[in-house]
Coordinates of all heavy atoms in Angstrom, one line a residue:
M1 N -5.2 -11.4 28.0 CA -6.0 -10.9 26.9 C -7.1 -11.8 26.5 O -6.9 -13.0 26.3 CB -5.1 -10.7 25.6 CG -4.5 -9.4 25.6 SD -3.8 -9.2 23.9 CE -3.3 -7.6 24.1
N2 N -8.3 -11.3 26.3 CA -9.4 -12.1 25.8 C -9.5 -12.0 24.3 O -9.6 -10.9 23.8 CB -10.7 -11.6 26.5 CG -10.7 -11.9 27.9 OD1 -10.0 -12.8 28.4 ND2 -11.6 -11.2 28.7
M3 N -9.6 -13.1 23.7 CA -9.7 -13.2 22.2 C -11.2 -13.4 22.0 O -11.9 -14.2 22.6 CB -9.0 -14.4 21.7 CG -7.5 -14.2 21.8 SD -6.8 -13.0 20.7 CE -6.9 -13.9 19.2
P4 N -11.8 -12.7 21.0 CA -13.2 -12.9 20.7 C -13.4 -14.2 20.1 O -12.6 -14.7 19.3 CB -13.5 -11.8 19.7 CG -12.2 -11.3 19.1 CD -11.2 -11.6 20.2
V5 N -14.5 -14.8 20.5 CA -14.8 -16.2 19.9 C -15.4 -16.0 18.5 O -16.3 -15.2 18.3 CB -15.8 -16.9 20.9 CG1 -16.2 -18.2 20.3 CG2 -15.2 -17.0 22.3
L6 N -14.9 -16.8 17.6 CA -15.3 -16.7 16.2 C -16.6 -17.6 16.1 O -16.5 -18.8 16.3 CB -14.2 -17.2 15.3 CG -14.5 -17.1 13.8 CD1 -14.9 -15.7 13.4 CD2 -13.4 -17.7 13.0
D7 N -17.6 -17.0 15.7 CA -18.9 -17.8 15.5 C -18.9 -18.2 14.1 O -19.3 -17.5 13.2 CB -20.1 -16.9 15.9 CG -21.4 -17.7 15.9 OD1 -21.3 -19.0 15.8 OD2 -22.4 -17.1 16.1
I8 N -18.6 -19.5 13.8 CA -18.5 -20.0 12.5 C -19.8 -20.0 11.8 O -19.9 -19.7 10.6 CB -17.8 -21.4 12.5 CG1 -16.4 -21.2 13.0 CG2 -17.8 -22.0 11.1 CD1 -15.7 -22.5 13.1
K9 N -20.9 -20.4 12.5 CA -22.2 -20.5 11.9 C -22.7 -19.2 11.4 O -23.2 -19.0 10.3 CB -23.2 -21.1 12.8 CG -23.0 -22.6 13.1 CD -24.1 -23.1 14.0 CE -23.8 -24.6 14.2 NZ -24.8 -25.2 15.1
S10 N -22.6 -18.1 12.2 CA -23.0 -16.8 11.7 C -22.2 -16.3 10.6 O -22.6 -15.6 9.7 CB -23.1 -15.8 12.9 OG -21.8 -15.6 13.4
S11 N -20.8 -16.5 10.7 CA -19.9 -16.1 9.6 C -20.3 -16.8 8.3 O -20.3 -16.1 7.3 CB -18.5 -16.3 10.0 OG -18.1 -15.6 11.1
L12 N -20.5 -18.1 8.4 CA -20.8 -18.8 7.2 C -22.1 -18.4 6.6 O -22.3 -18.2 5.4 CB -20.8 -20.3 7.5 CG -21.1 -21.3 6.3 CD1 -20.0 -21.1 5.3 CD2 -21.1 -22.7 6.8
S13 N -23.1 -18.1 7.5 CA -24.4 -17.6 7.0 C -24.3 -16.3 6.4 O -24.9 -16.1 5.3 CB -25.4 -17.6 8.2 OG -26.6 -17.0 7.9
T14 N -23.5 -15.4 6.9 CA -23.3 -14.1 6.3 C -22.7 -14.2 5.0 O -23.1 -13.5 4.0 CB -22.5 -13.2 7.3 OG1 -23.1 -13.1 8.6 CG2 -22.3 -11.8 6.7
I15 N -21.6 -15.0 4.9 CA -20.9 -15.2 3.6 C -21.9 -15.8 2.6 O -21.9 -15.3 1.4 CB -19.7 -16.1 3.8 CG1 -18.6 -15.4 4.6 CG2 -19.1 -16.6 2.5 CD1 -17.5 -16.2 5.1
L16 N -22.7 -16.8 2.9 CA -23.6 -17.4 2.0 C -24.7 -16.4 1.5 O -25.1 -16.4 0.4 CB -24.3 -18.6 2.6 CG -23.3 -19.8 2.7 CD1 -24.1 -21.0 3.4 CD2 -22.8 -20.3 1.4
Q17 N -25.1 -15.5 2.4 CA -26.1 -14.5 2.1 C -25.5 -13.5 1.1 O -26.1 -13.1 0.1 CB -26.6 -13.8 3.3 CG -27.6 -14.6 4.1 CD -28.0 -13.8 5.4 OE1 -27.4 -12.8 5.7 NE2 -29.0 -14.4 6.1
K18 N -24.2 -13.1 1.3 CA -23.6 -12.2 0.4 C -23.4 -12.8 -1.0 O -23.5 -12.2 -2.0 CB -22.3 -11.7 1.0 CG -22.4 -10.8 2.1 CD -21.1 -10.3 2.7 CE -21.4 -9.3 3.8 NZ -20.1 -8.8 4.4
I19 N -23.0 -14.1 -1.0 CA -22.8 -14.8 -2.3 C -24.1 -14.9 -3.0 O -24.2 -14.7 -4.2 CB -22.2 -16.2 -2.0 CG1 -20.7 -16.0 -1.6 CG2 -22.2 -17.0 -3.3 CD1 -20.0 -17.3 -1.2
F20 N -25.2 -15.3 -2.3 CA -26.5 -15.4 -2.9 C -26.9 -14.0 -3.5 O -27.4 -13.9 -4.6 CB -27.5 -15.9 -1.9 CG -28.9 -16.0 -2.5 CD1 -29.2 -17.0 -3.4 CD2 -29.9 -15.1 -2.1 CE1 -30.5 -17.1 -3.9 CE2 -31.1 -15.2 -2.6 CZ -31.5 -16.2 -3.5
S21 N -26.7 -13.0 -2.7 CA -27.1 -11.6 -3.2 C -26.3 -11.2 -4.4 O -26.9 -10.7 -5.4 CB -26.9 -10.6 -2.1 OG -27.2 -9.3 -2.5
F22 N -25.0 -11.5 -4.4 CA -24.2 -11.2 -5.6 C -24.6 -11.9 -6.8 O -24.7 -11.4 -7.9 CB -22.7 -11.4 -5.2 CG -21.8 -11.2 -6.4 CD1 -21.4 -9.9 -6.8 CD2 -21.3 -12.3 -7.1 CE1 -20.6 -9.7 -7.9 CE2 -20.5 -12.1 -8.2 CZ -20.1 -10.8 -8.6
T23 N -24.9 -13.2 -6.6 CA -25.3 -14.1 -7.7 C -26.6 -13.6 -8.3 O -26.8 -13.5 -9.5 CB -25.4 -15.5 -7.3 OG1 -24.2 -16.0 -6.7 CG2 -25.8 -16.5 -8.4
Q24 N -27.5 -13.2 -7.4 CA -28.8 -12.8 -7.9 C -28.7 -11.4 -8.6 O -29.3 -11.3 -9.7 CB -29.7 -12.5 -6.7 CG -31.2 -12.3 -7.0 CD -32.1 -12.3 -5.7 OE1 -31.6 -12.1 -4.6 NE2 -33.3 -12.5 -5.9
D25 N -27.9 -10.5 -8.2 CA -27.6 -9.3 -8.9 C -27.0 -9.5 -10.2 O -27.3 -8.9 -11.2 CB -26.7 -8.4 -8.1 CG -27.5 -7.8 -6.8 OD1 -28.7 -7.8 -6.8 OD2 -26.8 -7.3 -5.9
A26 N -26.0 -10.5 -10.3 CA -25.3 -10.8 -11.5 C -26.3 -11.4 -12.6 O -26.3 -11.0 -13.7 CB -24.2 -11.8 -11.3
I27 N -27.2 -12.2 -12.1 CA -28.2 -12.8 -13.0 C -29.2 -11.7 -13.5 O -29.5 -11.7 -14.7 CB -29.0 -14.0 -12.3 CG1 -28.0 -15.1 -12.1 CG2 -30.2 -14.4 -13.1 CD1 -28.6 -16.3 -11.3
Q28 N -29.6 -10.8 -12.7 CA -30.5 -9.7 -13.1 C -29.8 -8.8 -14.1 O -30.4 -8.4 -15.1 CB -30.9 -8.9 -11.9 CG -31.9 -9.6 -11.0 CD -32.3 -8.8 -9.8 OE1 -31.7 -7.8 -9.5 NE2 -33.3 -9.2 -9.1
Q29 N -28.5 -8.6 -13.9 CA -27.7 -7.7 -14.9 C -27.6 -8.4 -16.2 O -27.7 -7.8 -17.3 CB -26.4 -7.4 -14.3 CG -26.4 -6.4 -13.1 CD -27.0 -5.1 -13.5 OE1 -26.7 -4.6 -14.6 NE2 -27.8 -4.5 -12.7
L30 N -27.4 -9.7 -16.2 CA -27.2 -10.5 -17.4 C -28.5 -10.5 -18.2 O -28.5 -10.4 -19.4 CB -26.8 -11.9 -17.1 CG -26.5 -12.9 -18.3 CD1 -25.4 -12.3 -19.2 CD2 -26.2 -14.2 -17.8
C31 N -29.6 -10.7 -17.5 CA -31.0 -10.7 -18.1 C -31.2 -9.3 -18.7 O -31.7 -9.2 -19.9 CB -32.0 -11.1 -17.1 SG -32.0 -12.8 -16.7
A32 N -30.9 -8.3 -18.0 CA -31.1 -6.9 -18.5 C -30.3 -6.7 -19.8 O -30.7 -6.1 -20.8 CB -30.8 -5.9 -17.5
L33 N -29.0 -7.2 -19.8 CA -28.2 -7.0 -20.9 C -28.7 -7.7 -22.1 O -28.7 -7.2 -23.2 CB -26.8 -7.5 -20.6 CG -25.7 -7.4 -21.7 CD1 -25.4 -6.0 -22.0 CD2 -24.4 -8.1 -21.2
C34 N -29.3 -8.9 -21.9 CA -29.9 -9.7 -23.0 C -31.1 -9.0 -23.6 O -31.3 -8.9 -24.8 CB -30.3 -11.1 -22.6 SG -28.9 -12.1 -22.2
V35 N -31.9 -8.4 -22.7 CA -33.1 -7.7 -23.2 C -32.7 -6.5 -23.9 O -33.2 -6.2 -25.0 CB -34.0 -7.4 -22.0 CG1 -35.1 -6.4 -22.4 CG2 -34.7 -8.7 -21.4
Y36 N -31.8 -5.7 -23.4 CA -31.4 -4.4 -24.0 C -30.7 -4.7 -25.4 O -30.8 -4.0 -26.3 CB -30.6 -3.6 -23.1 CG -31.3 -3.0 -22.0 CD1 -30.7 -2.9 -20.7 CD2 -32.6 -2.5 -22.1 CE1 -31.4 -2.4 -19.6 CE2 -33.3 -2.0 -21.0 CZ -32.7 -1.9 -19.8 OH -33.4 -1.4 -18.7
G37 N -29.9 -5.8 -25.4 CA -29.2 -6.2 -26.6 C -30.1 -6.6 -27.7 O -30.0 -6.2 -28.9
T38 N -31.1 -7.4 -27.3 CA -32.1 -7.8 -28.3 C -32.9 -6.6 -28.8 O -33.2 -6.5 -30.0 CB -33.1 -8.8 -27.7 OG1 -32.4 -9.9 -27.2 CG2 -34.1 -9.3 -28.7
F39 N -33.3 -5.7 -27.9 CA -34.0 -4.5 -28.3 C -33.1 -3.6 -29.3 O -33.6 -3.1 -30.3 CB -34.4 -3.7 -27.1 CG -35.2 -2.4 -27.4 CD1 -36.5 -2.5 -27.9 CD2 -34.6 -1.2 -27.2 CE1 -37.2 -1.3 -28.1 CE2 -35.3 0.0 -27.5 CZ -36.6 -0.1 -28.0
F40 N -31.8 -3.5 -29.0 CA -30.9 -2.7 -29.9 C -30.8 -3.4 -31.3 O -30.9 -2.7 -32.3 CB -29.6 -2.6 -29.2 CG -28.5 -1.9 -30.1 CD1 -28.6 -0.6 -30.2 CD2 -27.5 -2.6 -30.7 CE1 -27.6 0.1 -31.0 CE2 -26.6 -2.0 -31.5 CZ -26.7 -0.6 -31.6
V41 N -30.7 -4.7 -31.3 CA -30.6 -5.4 -32.6 C -31.8 -5.2 -33.4 O -31.8 -4.9 -34.6 CB -30.2 -6.9 -32.4 CG1 -30.4 -7.6 -33.7 CG2 -28.8 -7.0 -31.9
C42 N -33.0 -5.3 -32.7 CA -34.3 -5.0 -33.4 C -34.4 -3.6 -34.0 O -34.8 -3.4 -35.1 CB -35.4 -5.3 -32.5 SG -35.6 -7.1 -32.2
L43 N -33.9 -2.7 -33.2 CA -33.9 -1.3 -33.7 C -33.0 -1.1 -34.9 O -33.3 -0.4 -35.9 CB -33.5 -0.3 -32.6 CG -34.6 0.0 -31.6 CD1 -34.0 1.0 -30.5 CD2 -35.8 0.7 -32.2
V44 N -31.8 -1.7 -34.9 CA -30.9 -1.6 -36.0 C -31.5 -2.2 -37.3 O -31.5 -1.6 -38.4 CB -29.6 -2.3 -35.7 CG1 -28.7 -2.4 -36.9 CG2 -28.8 -1.4 -34.6
I45 N -32.1 -3.4 -37.1 CA -32.8 -4.1 -38.3 C -33.9 -3.2 -38.8 O -34.1 -3.1 -40.0 CB -33.2 -5.5 -37.9 CG1 -32.0 -6.4 -37.6 CG2 -34.1 -6.1 -38.9 CD1 -32.4 -7.7 -37.0
L46 N -34.7 -2.7 -37.9 CA -35.8 -1.8 -38.3 C -35.3 -0.6 -39.1 O -35.8 -0.1 -40.1 CB -36.6 -1.4 -37.1 CG -37.9 -0.6 -37.4 CD1 -38.9 -1.3 -38.3 CD2 -38.5 -0.1 -36.1
G47 N -34.2 0.0 -38.6 CA -33.6 1.2 -39.2 C -33.1 0.9 -40.6 O -33.3 1.6 -41.6
I48 N -32.4 -0.3 -40.8 CA -31.9 -0.7 -42.1 C -33.1 -0.9 -43.0 O -33.0 -0.5 -44.2 CB -31.0 -1.9 -41.9 CG1 -29.7 -1.6 -41.2 CG2 -30.7 -2.5 -43.3 CD1 -28.9 -2.8 -40.8
A49 N -34.1 -1.6 -42.6 CA -35.3 -1.9 -43.4 C -36.0 -0.6 -43.8 O -36.3 -0.5 -45.0 CB -36.2 -2.8 -42.7
T50 N -36.1 0.3 -42.9 CA -36.8 1.6 -43.2 C -36.0 2.4 -44.2 O -36.5 2.9 -45.2 CB -37.0 2.4 -41.9 OG1 -37.7 1.6 -41.0 CG2 -37.7 3.7 -42.2
H51 N -34.7 2.5 -44.0 CA -33.8 3.2 -44.9 C -33.9 2.6 -46.3 O -34.0 3.3 -47.3 CB -32.4 3.2 -44.4 CG -31.5 4.0 -45.3 ND1 -30.7 3.3 -46.3 CD2 -31.1 5.3 -45.4 CE1 -30.0 4.2 -46.9 NE2 -30.2 5.4 -46.4
T52 N -33.8 1.3 -46.4 CA -33.8 0.6 -47.7 C -35.1 0.8 -48.4 O -35.1 1.2 -49.6 CB -33.6 -0.9 -47.4 OG1 -32.4 -1.1 -46.8 CG2 -33.6 -1.7 -48.8
L53 N -36.3 0.7 -47.7 CA -37.5 0.8 -48.4 C -37.9 2.2 -48.7 O -38.5 2.5 -49.8 CB -38.6 0.1 -47.6 CG -38.5 -1.4 -47.4 CD1 -39.5 -1.9 -46.5 CD2 -38.6 -2.1 -48.8
M54 N -37.5 3.2 -47.9 CA -37.8 4.6 -48.1 C -37.0 5.2 -49.3 O -37.5 6.1 -49.9 CB -37.6 5.4 -46.8 CG -38.5 5.0 -45.7 SD -40.2 5.3 -46.0 CE -40.3 7.1 -45.8
N55 N -35.9 4.6 -49.5 CA -35.0 5.1 -50.6 C -35.1 4.3 -51.9 O -34.2 4.4 -52.7 CB -33.6 5.2 -50.1 CG -33.4 6.3 -49.0 OD1 -33.9 7.4 -49.2 ND2 -32.7 6.0 -48.0
Q56 N -36.1 3.5 -52.0 CA -36.4 2.7 -53.2 C -35.1 1.8 -53.6 O -34.8 1.7 -54.7 CB -36.7 3.6 -54.4 CG -38.0 4.4 -54.2 CD -39.2 3.6 -54.1 OE1 -39.4 2.6 -54.8 NE2 -40.1 4.0 -53.2
Q57 N -34.5 1.3 -52.5 CA -33.4 0.4 -52.8 C -33.8 -1.1 -52.6 O -34.9 -1.4 -52.1 CB -32.3 0.8 -51.8 CG -31.7 2.2 -52.0 CD -30.7 2.5 -50.9 OE1 -30.6 1.9 -49.9 NE2 -30.0 3.6 -51.2
H58 N -32.9 -1.9 -52.9 CA -33.1 -3.4 -52.8 C -32.0 -4.0 -51.8 O -30.9 -3.7 -52.0 CB -33.0 -4.0 -54.2 CG -33.2 -5.5 -54.1 ND1 -32.4 -6.3 -54.8 CD2 -34.0 -6.3 -53.4 CE1 -32.7 -7.6 -54.6 NE2 -33.7 -7.6 -53.7
L59 N -32.5 -4.7 -50.9 CA -31.6 -5.3 -49.9 C -31.8 -6.8 -49.9 O -32.9 -7.3 -49.7 CB -31.8 -4.8 -48.5 CG -30.9 -5.4 -47.4 CD1 -29.5 -5.1 -47.6 CD2 -31.4 -5.0 -46.0
H60 N -30.7 -7.6 -50.2 CA -30.8 -9.0 -50.2 C -29.7 -9.6 -49.4 O -28.5 -9.4 -49.7 CB -30.7 -9.5 -51.7 CG -30.9 -11.0 -51.8 ND1 -32.1 -11.6 -51.8 CD2 -30.0 -12.0 -51.9 CE1 -32.0 -12.9 -51.9 NE2 -30.7 -13.2 -52.0
L61 N -30.0 -10.2 -48.3 CA -29.0 -10.8 -47.4 C -29.2 -12.3 -47.3 O -30.4 -12.8 -47.1 CB -29.1 -10.2 -46.0 CG -28.8 -8.7 -45.8 CD1 -29.1 -8.3 -44.4 CD2 -27.4 -8.4 -46.2
V62 N -28.2 -13.1 -47.3 CA -28.2 -14.5 -47.2 C -27.2 -14.9 -46.1 O -26.0 -14.6 -46.2 CB -28.0 -15.3 -48.5 CG1 -28.0 -16.8 -48.2 CG2 -29.0 -14.9 -49.5
A63 N -27.6 -15.6 -45.1 CA -26.7 -16.1 -44.0 C -26.8 -17.6 -43.9 O -27.9 -18.2 -44.0 CB -27.1 -15.4 -42.7
T64 N -25.7 -18.3 -43.7 CA -25.7 -19.7 -43.5 C -25.3 -20.0 -42.1 O -24.3 -19.4 -41.6 CB -24.7 -20.3 -44.5 OG1 -25.0 -20.0 -45.8 CG2 -24.7 -21.8 -44.3
I65 N -26.1 -20.9 -41.4 CA -25.8 -21.2 -40.1 C -25.3 -22.7 -40.1 O -26.1 -23.6 -40.5 CB -27.0 -21.1 -39.2 CG1 -27.5 -19.6 -39.2 CG2 -26.7 -21.5 -37.7 CD1 -28.8 -19.4 -38.5
D66 N -24.1 -23.0 -39.6 CA -23.6 -24.3 -39.5 C -23.5 -25.0 -40.9 O -23.5 -26.2 -41.0 CB -24.3 -25.2 -38.6 CG -24.3 -24.7 -37.1 OD1 -23.3 -24.0 -36.8 OD2 -25.2 -24.9 -36.4
G67 N -23.5 -24.2 -42.0 CA -23.4 -24.8 -43.3 C -24.7 -25.6 -43.7 O -24.7 -26.2 -44.7
K68 N -25.7 -25.5 -42.9 CA -26.9 -26.3 -43.2 C -28.2 -25.4 -43.5 O -28.9 -25.6 -44.5 CB -27.3 -27.2 -42.0 CG -26.2 -28.2 -41.7 CD -26.5 -29.0 -40.5 CE -25.3 -29.9 -40.2 NZ -25.6 -30.6 -38.9
E69 N -28.4 -24.5 -42.5 CA -29.6 -23.7 -42.6 C -29.3 -22.3 -43.3 O -28.3 -21.8 -43.0 CB -30.2 -23.4 -41.2 CG -30.6 -24.7 -40.5 CD -31.1 -24.4 -39.1 OE1 -31.4 -23.3 -38.8 OE2 -31.2 -25.4 -38.3
H70 N -30.3 -21.9 -44.1 CA -30.1 -20.6 -44.7 C -31.1 -19.6 -44.2 O -32.3 -20.0 -44.0 CB -30.3 -20.7 -46.2 CG -29.2 -21.5 -46.9 ND1 -27.9 -21.0 -47.1 CD2 -29.2 -22.7 -47.4 CE1 -27.2 -21.9 -47.7 NE2 -27.9 -23.0 -47.9
I71 N -30.7 -18.4 -44.0 CA -31.6 -17.3 -43.6 C -31.6 -16.3 -44.7 O -30.5 -15.8 -45.1 CB -31.2 -16.6 -42.3 CG1 -31.4 -17.7 -41.1 CG2 -32.1 -15.4 -42.0 CD1 -30.9 -17.1 -39.8
V72 N -32.7 -16.0 -45.3 CA -32.7 -15.1 -46.4 C -33.6 -13.9 -46.0 O -34.7 -14.0 -45.6 CB -33.3 -15.7 -47.7 CG1 -33.4 -14.7 -48.8 CG2 -32.5 -16.9 -48.1
I73 N -33.0 -12.7 -46.2 CA -33.8 -11.4 -46.0 C -33.7 -10.7 -47.3 O -32.7 -10.4 -47.9 CB -33.1 -10.6 -44.9 CG1 -33.1 -11.3 -43.6 CG2 -33.8 -9.2 -44.8 CD1 -32.4 -10.6 -42.5
D74 N -34.9 -10.5 -47.9 CA -35.0 -9.9 -49.2 C -36.0 -8.7 -49.1 O -37.2 -8.9 -48.9 CB -35.5 -10.9 -50.2 CG -35.3 -10.4 -51.6 OD1 -34.6 -9.3 -51.8 OD2 -35.8 -11.0 -52.5
L75 N -35.5 -7.5 -49.1 CA -36.4 -6.3 -49.0 C -36.4 -5.6 -50.3 O -35.4 -5.2 -50.8 CB -35.9 -5.4 -47.9 CG -35.9 -5.9 -46.5 CD1 -35.3 -4.9 -45.6 CD2 -37.4 -6.1 -46.1
R76 N -37.6 -5.5 -50.9 CA -37.8 -4.7 -52.2 C -39.0 -3.8 -52.1 O -40.0 -4.3 -51.5 CB -38.0 -5.7 -53.3 CG -36.9 -6.6 -53.6 CD -37.3 -7.5 -54.7 NE -36.3 -8.6 -54.7 CZ -36.3 -9.5 -55.7 NH1 -37.2 -9.5 -56.7 NH2 -35.4 -10.5 -55.6
P77 N -38.9 -2.6 -52.5 CA -40.1 -1.8 -52.6 C -41.1 -2.3 -53.6 O -40.7 -2.9 -54.6 CB -39.6 -0.4 -52.9 CG -38.3 -0.6 -53.5 CD -37.7 -1.9 -53.0
H78 N -42.4 -2.2 -53.3 CA -43.4 -2.6 -54.3 C -43.4 -1.7 -55.5 O -43.3 -0.5 -55.4 CB -44.8 -2.6 -53.6 CG -45.0 -3.7 -52.6 ND1 -45.0 -5.0 -53.0 CD2 -45.2 -3.6 -51.3 CE1 -45.2 -5.7 -51.9 NE2 -45.3 -4.9 -50.9
G79 N -43.5 -2.3 -56.7 CA -43.6 -1.5 -57.9 C -45.0 -0.7 -58.0 O -46.0 -1.2 -57.4
K80 N -45.0 0.4 -58.6 CA -46.2 1.2 -58.7 C -46.9 0.9 -60.0 O -46.5 0.6 -61.0 CB -45.9 2.7 -58.6 CG -45.4 3.0 -57.3 CD -45.1 4.5 -57.2 CE -44.6 4.9 -55.8 NZ -44.3 6.3 -55.7

């Protein structure tokens, strides 16, 4: 019986190409997820701001990051 000779170099090259392709696809998917996630958060913030201002309401949010920095969002309709 003849056993096929295993060509290690071509097998290793094929494996490395598949790994590279998979890694590249994974990075593209991660970037797309970040872009779509950022877009979704912006739409939600825009929706909250629009609802607040259109209904003559007042929205005041304060967030603390690491106990040091403060983020303040204060939405008020202008008085007439």
Side-chain angles (χ1 to χ4, degrees):
M1 268 190 174
N2 290 339
M3 296 286 288
V5 178
L6 181 62
D7 189 5
I8 295 176
K9 287 184 181 180
S10 66
S11 296
L12 184 59
S13 176
T14 304
I15 291 172
L16 288 176
Q17 285 176 350
K18 287 182 181 181
I19 289 173
F20 179 73
S21 176
F22 175 77
T23 305
Q24 193 174 18
D25 289 342
I27 290 172
Q28 287 177 351
Q29 291 295 323
L30 182 62
C31 289
L33 181 65
C34 290
V35 168
Y36 291 141
T38 303
F39 182 71
F40 176 75
V41 169
C42 289
L43 281 178
V44 168
I45 291 171
L46 183 64
I48 291 171
T50 302
H51 180 268
T52 300
L53 295 175
M54 295 297 282
N55 292 315
Q56 301 295 320
Q57 296 175 348
H58 176 226
L59 176 67
H60 184 80
L61 298 174
V62 178
T64 304
I65 301 172
D66 297 332
K68 300 175 185 175
E69 299 177 17
H70 293 287
I71 297 175
V72 178
I73 299 173
D74 194 10
L75 296 174
R76 297 179 197 188
H78 288 295
K80 293 181 179 180

